[in-house]
Amino acid sequence: AGRNQGKAGPVRSTPVMLVDRSEVDHWLPILAPGDTAALPLSTHARTVCSALGEYGASFFVDLVCGTGLLRTQVETALAELVAWGLVTSDTFAGLRVLITPSSRRASFSKPRRGRAGRARSVSVDAAGRWVLVEQGLLMSRLSESERSEYSDASVHHIALALLDRYGVVFRGLLHRESRLLPPWRRLARVYRRMEARGEIRGGRFVNGFSGEHFAWPEAVDTLRAVHRSDVQRSDEGLREFIVSAADPLNLSGIITPGVRVPVAVRNRLLYRDGVPVAVYVAGEFEWLESPDAAREWSARNLLIRNDPGLTYLPGSSRPS
């Protein structure tokens, strides 16, 4: 959920957060959009929000009948409420419909069918039920100072989530994370208690970063095994892999050399033995190492041909 003015609806780049229903209370300070009454919602959005509060989980057709609004007005209102983090759907189909251009959606009347007799695309009618994020509404009744305070249980839960994500956690690593997370001093307090109980390890595991580092024992063992390895691999034996810039492994410019790569699905990085050597950002390739025509060509081929948005015919030449 965002907190800026003028939210028209979700787009393809809108962040999506998956939270287990039993753990949602720990993430409320991030999920709660604030005082609902103070949000700059449109009249139609407030009408749909009130209807969901009165009727509970409802299908799209039920909202149209219950509010008396046009179908397009209800759809626009749902998109606005989703962008503010006030409403969610049973399945991903609801979000897919809202971010699909109107020209590619099924007709509001009778769905257009192809030769095989199947509907051309999923309409908003088949998106499942829509429901208010009830916990977010409960949090909106609290004051701003109360919402900004995490409980000890929530801080512990978030600290574990960060350890599970990275294996090793230190203050500099959190620059990639949301600024709405608990401050490092509270996270470090949790990690110190866990270290005293022998659940995690403390020390200095990443060069170039001061302060306390905390890690799962398995992560420390893996780092030590790599560090102690004296096996010299040839260039052909180097481990290479490609990750999306939306992946947590996108730490270029944070803990590894190179430029910061914007978090977007279409942006990608090529790692060689854990070091970023090339990036593909906004359709542009950039080589990060010293000039090497052969390696650069290979990296360009790997990154560009891995682009799901491009189609290549068998035997076609590589793009320049």
Side-chain angles (χ1 to χ4, degrees), residues 83-218:
W84 279 107
L86 295 175
V87 167
T88 185
S89 180
D90 288 338
T91 66
F92 277 114
L95 180 60
R96 291 192 183 101
V97 170
L98 295 181
I99 65 176
T100 300
S102 57
S103 59
R104 298 178 55 187
R105 299 181 193 172
S107 173
F108 273 146
S109 56
K110 186 176 181 180
R112 296 179 61 182
R113 299 182 178 276
R115 294 182 179 179
R118 293 179 297 180
R120 182 183 62 172
S121 59
V122 178
S123 69
V124 70
D125 297 273
R129 298 178 304 171
W130 299 90
V131 63
L132 293 174
V133 182
E134 299 172 351
Q135 290 83 353
L137 294 181
L138 291 175
M139 285 294 294
S140 68
R141 301 172 188 172
L142 303 179
S143 65
E144 185 68 25
S145 60
E146 290 174 322
R147 288 193 300 107
S148 63
E149 290 297 326
Y150 287 84
S151 66
D152 291 339
S154 296
V155 175
H156 182 81
H157 179 83
I158 294 172
L160 289 178
L162 291 172
L163 271 176
D164 288 339
R165 164 170 283 195
Y166 295 110
V168 179
V169 177
F170 49 92
R171 186 170 186 172
L173 185 65
L174 301 185
H175 290 167
R176 187 183 186 278
E177 297 293 333
S178 171
R179 296 181 180 179
L180 299 176
L181 288 178
W184 172 250
R185 64 178 182 276
R186 297 199 62 186
L187 293 171
R189 197 176 304 147
V190 173
Y191 291 138
R192 294 189 197 108
R193 289 198 297 265
M194 295 179 66
E195 181 187 5
R197 293 195 296 264
E199 299 173 0
I200 63 175
R201 306 276 184 86
R204 296 286 179 85
F205 306 113
V206 181
N207 293 332
F209 292 90
S210 60
E212 300 170 286
H213 298 191
F214 302 94
W216 288 121
E218 312 88 80

Side-chain angles (χ1 to χ4, degrees), residues 179-314:
R179 296 181 180 179
L180 299 176
L181 288 178
W184 172 250
R185 64 178 182 276
R186 297 199 62 186
L187 293 171
R189 197 176 304 147
V190 173
Y191 291 138
R192 294 189 197 108
R193 289 198 297 265
M194 295 179 66
E195 181 187 5
R197 293 195 296 264
E199 299 173 0
I200 63 175
R201 306 276 184 86
R204 296 286 179 85
F205 306 113
V206 181
N207 293 332
F209 292 90
S210 60
E212 300 170 286
H213 298 191
F214 302 94
W216 288 121
E218 312 88 80
V220 176
D221 294 340
T222 302
L223 289 174
R224 287 176 176 172
V226 172
H227 180 70
R228 293 172 181 171
S229 176
D230 294 326
V231 178
Q232 298 295 328
R233 293 185 298 274
S234 63
D235 290 346
E236 291 75 15
L238 294 177
R239 293 187 292 260
E240 292 184 341
F241 60 93
I242 297 173
V243 299
S244 167
D247 192 286
L249 286 176
N250 174 17
L251 298 173
S252 178
I254 300 177
I255 68 171
T256 61
V259 297
R260 292 286 292 270
V261 180
V263 177
V265 177
R266 293 287 295 275
N267 295 344
R268 289 182 301 282
L269 303 90
L270 173 63
Y271 282 88
R272 178 179 289 125
D273 264 13
V275 178
V277 296
V279 296
Y280 184 68
V281 179
E284 297 293 332
F285 172 85
E286 181 179 356
W287 179 249
L288 304 179
E289 290 195 326
S290 57
D292 188 319
R295 289 184 178 179
E296 183 176 349
W297 181 266
S298 175
R300 180 190 297 269
N301 186 42
L302 284 173
L303 285 174
I304 294 181
R305 285 185 177 269
N306 194 49
D307 190 344
L310 299 178
T311 302
Y312 301 97
L313 297 176

